[in-house]
């Protein structure tokens, strides 16, 4: 009985936690979607010349650091 009294007394806190949880899930879902879009773009070969140059520079830097 005490647990139900606590829940009925603090329904606003539970409601706020639920809203925050929904907001966090939406933000994480958007981030995952954006990353999958970028991955699809990289796999599809739809890179601009500038993006290819940036990737080449990063790859060269990584190779230089790994030696």
């Amino acid at each position: 009985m005490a647990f139900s009294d606590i829940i009925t007394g603090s329904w606003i806190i539970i409601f706020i936690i639920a809203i925050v949880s929904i907001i966090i899930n939406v933000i994480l879902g958007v981030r995952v979607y954006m990353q999958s879009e970028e991955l699809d773009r990289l796999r599809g070969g739809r890179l601009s010349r500038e993006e290819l140059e940036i990737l080449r520079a990063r790859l060269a830097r990584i190779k230089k650091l790994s030696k």
Side-chain angles (χ1 to χ4, degrees), residues 40-54:
D40 289 342
R41 192 171 61 85
L42 289 172
R43 284 186 180 153
R46 294 177 284 158
L47 295 175
S48 68
R49 185 174 298 273
E50 294 170 358
E51 290 170 325
L52 283 173
E53 290 299 322
I54 291 170

Side-chain angles (χ1 to χ4, degrees), residues 18-35:
I19 294 296
V20 169
S21 174
I22 290 170
I23 291 171
I24 290 172
N25 282 330
V26 168
I27 291 171
L28 291 177
V30 168
R31 289 187 68 192
V32 167
Y33 176 76
M34 297 282 285
Q35 287 177 349

Side-chain angles (χ1 to χ4, degrees), residues 1-6:
M1 200 65 165
F3 183 69
S4 63
D5 292 338
I6 292 171

